[in-house]
Amino acid sequence: MLPVSVTPEAGGSAGLVDALFTAGSAVSVTGLIVVDTATYWSGFGHVVILALIELGGLGLMTFASLLGLLLVHRLGLRSRMATSASLGTPTTGDLRELVVGIAKVALTVQAATAVVLAARFALTYDYPPGQALWHGVFHAGSAFNNAGFALYSDNVMGFVADPWVCLPLAVAVILGGVGFPVFIELRRHVRVPRLWSMNTRIVLAGTAVLLVGGTVTITALEWDNPGTLGPLDVPAKLLAGFFAATVARTAGFNSVDTAEMNTQTWFAQDVLMFIGAGPAGTAGGIKITTAAVLLAIVLTEIRGEGAVNVFGKRLSRSVHRQAITVLTLSVAVVMGSTWALLITTQFTLDQLVFEVISAFATVGLSTGITHLLPDGGQLLLVVVMFAGRVGPVTLATALALRSRKRLYELPKERPLIG
Amino acid sequence: MLPVSVTPEAGGSAGLVDALFTAGSAVSVTGLIVVDTATYWSGFGHVVILALIELGGLGLMTFASLLGLLLVHRLGLRSRMATSASLGTPTTGDLRELVVGIAKVALTVQAATAVVLAARFALTYDYPPGQALWHGVFHAGSAFNNAGFALYSDNVMGFVADPWVCLPLAVAVILGGVGFPVFIELRRHVRVPRLWSMNTRIVLAGTAVLLVGGTVTITALEWDNPGTLGPLDVPAKLLAGFFAATVARTAGFNSVDTAEMNTQTWFAQDVLMFIGAGPAGTAGGIKITTAAVLLAIVLTEIRGEGAVNVFGKRLSRSVHRQAITVLTLSVAVVMGSTWALLITTQFTLDQLVFEVISAFATVGLSTGITHLLPDGGQLLLVVVMFAGRVGPVTLATALALRSRKRLYELPKERPLIG
Ligand SMILES: [K+]
Ligand SMILES: [K+]
């Protein structure tokens, strides 16, 4: 994790802030960059970046899954994440099962993605075999870990109309984003949806809704934009729109130029980025589940029902307040950081909101201002990336695990709302 | 409430959208304008505008207080808003007491404010007696009802350094904003804080925090701005900063040019505007109480306590979900409207967010774009004003009053959060 080990060879000396920013961006799998990944860092630097991505992505996946396992044991929750869920502390056997499981999933998805990409690079783009394989491995790792780093100066804009590159990347991104618990459940009960947990149902339904809604919105808004989808034929427009919706949810690759998009498209991407994907995966954001809990509360209130029910199960009441807390603190971090950058830079609100949400949700898309920010602003973004990476999951788990003192209750009262 | 009765004499014919917008802005006590109030409308037009303001402001205050009274009776809540709180439906006696009480408060505050203003206008600015009195009455009504309309083309910028105009206006604004229930309680128990309800404590504490925090923030950010506080001496800077913080919470007067403020000041004002002031008053926004409930939930979660306690009382659990619902739907209206204007106009995100929050929270401050919006955009703002004016209180009361079906409970489950 030492930024100094990212050795620059081309493009001048690596400033400390540049190295720190790149290492922080890689290990938090954000993908924001202040220097051109392709030309500024050496081949060895690229290996270090991929290692940091795997460390950060798989590390966080393991950490979050472990926290989830702890919750399952401690709270005695119904879940099929672990075969041996029982009250008490997870055993070393559970932990071993978890790490092996994650390793298997990561290796399988990344290897399959790398093979498809490498074949395409070698056969269609005439890369030499070694380079084709390395580019396949790097981009598969960057995709599954939702990092969004690419070995091209224009990220993956060169492949905007190539489904053999964009679709494997999108599949790896989506699979990394659904989270390990969903993966395990699907492997065991893929044909028996009635056995799926609430977590899996919410993540899968939410992923579908966000992908379809995001694709339609972005494609429609950018259809005629000469800087983005305008010059493409219809199949390529649809592919690029789908890809943009997929990566906005947390991966951060870009096959069209984000800076050229309409400000209303940025706004739609802000929403996708802030929500992110599933818990205990490689995605950032407040997570689909947190957003779904809030939506379920609102729908329940509007329908006038007593209990918040989701997919035929009652939503545990303790989760309500935890979801509100994660949302409120996330909004506070985003608003506070945006405000700090508004005061210290000359960029516009839409650019800064986009940049901060991208960092907080470890997405890595940018309207092109990252490298123009002052050092202080770049360091703030590194802090936001880490806060966004480990904050929500750690906070939510800590809240859920904490023992509650309830020695006595005060008399009840209510203020007027609204 | 007929826009046609606002008869234009100077400045050309009143277009239908202009008249509709002005009437809507007045009756919703927002104060956004598309034509110059001072020069475009006749003296009779000004009378109509004041009548609409009183109708809208006092009407909403009565409506919201009545809904609060209904809650008190129906839910059997502890409250001193009505002397005869008992289970069942409010009696006509309760209603009469309410209307008379509101009329007394409105008349007292407005008369006192009008007298001070009229004296100042006559003695210092040499207005003829009739004009001084009318200007006093109009601006007192506009202030107490948090409307923000003024009879000057530059709103109240001509009085930026005059405490004898700005302070009476600010006091009337604050008193109108705390809401009728707080007023009644203070009149009865002003020296016995332990008898105050949770509603009164939250509103008073929140008002103090928002006024002090807002004044410090705005004054600091605008201190050297040549377009706003820059040219003023220190006492005038403080007066103008305090006035700007006071009116951002919902009144919408301006003693400095909002368009000239820094974008980071707009951002701070966005927060003040969105929160607003107390329930069952003349203010808009989600209300201090809604924001306080959310803050209390977050603090409780962070402290790891079982029940959400505020000022020594337990916060009724049913209020949690209602506050979340009001917040979420308010955010949805603001974001959706902002997005619609982003698509249909060329204004920047910071301008449009400010304009939409100003309309939703019936504030009436503007970065200067209101009259430049297309007709469709102006009509959208009228809808947003009304949604913001009656939406949150109606929604929250409907949620609280609804009988809940709880015939059976489904088995409990929880997804992973964060
Ligand atoms: K990323
Ligand atoms: K107003």
Side-chain angles (χ1 to χ4, degrees):
Chain A
M1 284 175 54
L2 294 174
V4 289
S5 57
V6 183
T7 315
E9 286 180 2
S13 67
L16 181 63
V17 173
D18 291 344
L20 198 67
F21 191 95
T22 305
S25 181
V27 83
S28 69
V29 296
T30 302
L32 284 174
I33 51 174
V34 286
V35 292
D36 181 4
T37 309
T39 58
Y40 190 85
W41 306 110
S42 65
F44 177 68
H46 294 155
V47 173
V48 171
I49 288 175
L50 181 58
L52 288 172
I53 287 172
E54 297 281 357
L55 181 73
L58 300 183
L60 204 279
M61 203 185 217
T62 309
F63 175 65
S65 298
L66 190 63
L67 290 180
L69 200 61
L70 235 130
L71 273 186
V72 169
H73 282 271
R74 198 70 70 82
L75 304 181
L77 297 171
R78 173 183 168 279
S79 163
R80 285 170 203 81
M81 202 170 99
T83 38
S84 55
S86 60
L87 283 172
T89 319
T91 61
T92 43
D94 294 330
L95 184 57
R96 196 164 164 273
E97 186 186 13
L98 189 74
V99 172
V100 171
I102 289 178
K104 270 189 194 165
V105 168
L107 202 65
T108 311
V109 175
Q110 293 191 41
T113 311
V115 166
V116 177
L117 290 175
R120 184 68 174 175
F121 289 144
L123 300 176
T124 308
Y125 298 92
D126 293 327
Y127 289 14
Q131 194 196 358
L133 189 64
W134 166 237
H135 276 223
V137 167
F138 184 93
H139 294 99
S142 184
F144 180 76
N145 289 297
N146 272 286
F149 278 88
L151 294 178
Y152 309 96
S153 297
D154 62 355
N155 202 283
V156 294
M157 286 171 61
F159 308 103
V160 61
D162 186 346
W164 290 96
V165 171
C166 287
L167 290 182
L169 285 178
V171 170
V173 161
I174 294 169
L175 291 178
V178 294
F180 183 63
V182 171
F183 236 103
I184 293 301
E185 270 195 37
L186 287 188
R187 205 174 60 182
R188 286 191 195 144
H189 310 286
V190 71
R191 290 164 195 280
V192 200
R194 74 182 162 75
L195 290 180
W196 296 353
S197 67
M198 184 192 282
N199 191 69
T200 295
R201 288 160 195 240
I202 290 177
V203 170
L204 292 181
T207 299
V209 168
L210 292 175
L211 283 178
V212 172
T215 301
V216 170
T217 306
I218 296 176
T219 309
L221 287 173
E222 296 293 323
W223 192 267
D224 284 328
N225 185 338
T228 59
L229 305 189
L232 305 174
D233 59 18
V234 172
K237 276 185 210 281
L238 295 175
L239 179 67
F242 168 71
F243 192 79
T246 305
V247 295
R249 294 177 50 243
T250 213
F253 285 114
N254 60 294
S255 72
V256 292
D257 189 353
T258 309
E260 292 289 329
M261 284 178 163
N262 300 310
T263 183
Q264 56 267 34
T265 311
W266 292 348
F267 198 76
Q269 287 171 307
D270 288 341
V271 175
L272 289 173
M273 295 196 294
F274 187 73
I275 295 174
T282 58
I286 62 168
K287 309 296 180 302
I288 290 174
T289 46
T290 309
V293 166
L294 295 166
L295 180 66
I297 291 172
V298 172
L299 290 180
T300 302
E301 283 295 314
I302 290 174
R303 287 200 212 107
E305 290 162 358
V308 181
N309 299 324
V310 178
F311 291 124
K313 293 276 155 49
R314 178 163 59 83
L315 193 64
S316 170
R317 285 190 184 84
S318 63
V319 173
H320 302 189
R321 280 165 27 188
Q322 290 157 23
I324 299 160
T325 305
V326 167
L327 175 79
T328 308
L329 293 181
S330 298
V331 169
V333 168
V334 167
M335 286 181 62
S337 307
T338 302
W339 197 52
L341 291 177
L342 266 181
I343 293 176
T344 52
T345 73
Q346 294 303 313
F347 297 106
T348 57
L349 181 64
D350 51 354
Q351 292 175 310
L352 291 174
V353 167
F354 192 98
E355 191 79 12
V356 169
I357 293 182
S358 179
F360 178 77
T362 66
V363 176
L365 295 174
S366 174
T367 62
I369 67 172
T370 321
H371 68 284
L372 300 172
L373 291 172
D375 281 358
Q378 292 181 351
L379 291 176
L380 174 65
L381 283 188
V382 174
V383 173
V384 171
M385 287 180 212
F386 278 93
R389 195 68 194 122
V390 298
V393 59
T394 314
L395 175 69
T397 311
L399 297 180
L401 282 179
R402 192 137 42 155
S403 64
R404 303 291 172 134
K405 292 161 263 164
R406 209 184 278 199
L407 299 176
Y408 58 91
E409 287 217 318
L410 294 166
K412 186 167 81 165
E413 196 175 335
R414 52 170 291 154
L416 295 170
I417 296 293
Chain B
M1 281 175 60
L2 294 174
V4 288
S5 56
V6 184
T7 315
E9 287 178 4
S13 67
L16 182 63
V17 173
D18 291 344
L20 197 67
F21 191 95
T22 305
S25 182
V27 83
S28 69
V29 295
T30 303
L32 284 174
I33 50 174
V34 286
V35 293
D36 181 4
T37 309
T39 59
Y40 190 84
W41 305 111
S42 64
F44 177 68
H46 295 156
V47 173
V48 172
I49 288 175
L50 181 59
L52 289 173
I53 288 172
E54 297 283 357
L55 182 72
L58 300 182
L60 205 278
M61 203 182 216
T62 310
F63 175 64
S65 298
L66 189 63
L67 290 180
L69 200 63
L70 235 131
L71 272 186
V72 169
H73 282 271
R74 199 69 70 82
L75 304 181
L77 297 171
R78 172 182 167 279
S79 164
R80 285 172 203 80
M81 202 169 100
T83 39
S84 56
S86 60
L87 283 173
T89 319
T91 62
T92 41
D94 295 331
L95 184 57
R96 196 164 163 274
E97 186 185 11
L98 191 74
V99 171
V100 171
I102 288 178
K104 271 189 195 166
V105 168
L107 202 65
T108 312
V109 175
Q110 292 191 42
T113 310
V115 166
V116 178
L117 290 176
R120 184 68 174 174
F121 289 145
L123 299 177
T124 309
Y125 297 92
D126 293 326
Y127 289 16
Q131 194 195 358
L133 190 64
W134 166 238
H135 277 223
V137 168
F138 184 93
H139 294 98
S142 185
F144 180 77
N145 289 298
N146 273 284
F149 278 88
L151 294 178
Y152 308 98
S153 297
D154 63 355
N155 203 279
V156 294
M157 286 172 60
F159 308 104
V160 61
D162 186 346
W164 291 97
V165 171
C166 286
L167 289 183
L169 286 178
V171 170
V173 161
I174 293 169
L175 290 178
V178 294
F180 183 64
V182 171
F183 236 102
I184 293 301
E185 269 196 37
L186 286 188
R187 207 175 56 181
R188 287 192 194 145
H189 311 287
V190 71
R191 290 162 195 281
V192 200
R194 72 182 162 77
L195 290 180
W196 297 353
S197 67
M198 184 191 280
N199 190 69
T200 295
R201 289 160 195 242
I202 291 178
V203 170
L204 292 181
T207 300
V209 167
L210 292 175
L211 282 177
V212 172
T215 302
V216 170
T217 305
I218 295 176
T219 310
L221 288 172
E222 296 293 323
W223 192 266
D224 285 329
N225 185 339
T228 59
L229 306 189
L232 305 174
D233 59 18
V234 171
K237 278 185 211 279
L238 295 174
L239 179 66
F242 168 72
F243 192 79
T246 304
V247 295
R249 294 175 52 243
T250 214
F253 286 114
N254 60 293
S255 72
V256 292
D257 189 353
T258 309
E260 292 289 327
M261 285 181 163
N262 301 310
T263 183
Q264 55 267 32
T265 310
W266 292 347
F267 198 77
Q269 287 170 306
D270 287 341
V271 175
L272 289 173
M273 295 195 294
F274 187 72
I275 294 175
T282 58
I286 61 167
K287 308 296 179 303
I288 291 175
T289 45
T290 309
V293 166
L294 294 167
L295 181 66
I297 291 172
V298 172
L299 291 179
T300 303
E301 284 294 313
I302 289 173
R303 288 199 211 109
E305 289 163 2
V308 180
N309 298 325
V310 177
F311 291 123
K313 292 277 155 49
R314 179 163 57 84
L315 192 65
S316 170
R317 285 189 185 84
S318 63
V319 173
H320 301 190
R321 279 167 25 191
Q322 290 156 22
I324 299 160
T325 304
V326 168
L327 175 80
T328 307
L329 293 181
S330 299
V331 169
V333 169
V334 168
M335 286 180 62
S337 308
T338 302
W339 197 52
L341 291 177
L342 266 181
I343 292 176
T344 52
T345 74
Q346 295 302 311
F347 297 106
T348 57
L349 180 64
D350 49 356
Q351 291 174 311
L352 291 174
V353 167
F354 192 98
E355 191 79 12
V356 169
I357 293 182
S358 179
F360 177 77
T362 66
V363 177
L365 294 175
S366 174
T367 63
I369 66 172
T370 321
H371 67 285
L372 300 172
L373 290 173
D375 282 358
Q378 292 180 353
L379 291 175
L380 175 65
L381 283 187
V382 175
V383 173
V384 171
M385 286 180 213
F386 277 93
R389 194 70 195 120
V390 297
V393 59
T394 315
L395 175 69
T397 312
L399 297 180
L401 282 180
R402 189 133 47 152
S403 65
R404 303 292 174 137
K405 292 160 261 164
R406 208 184 279 201
L407 300 175
Y408 57 91
E409 287 217 318
L410 294 167
K412 185 167 80 166
E413 196 176 334
R414 52 171 289 155
L416 294 169
I417 296 292

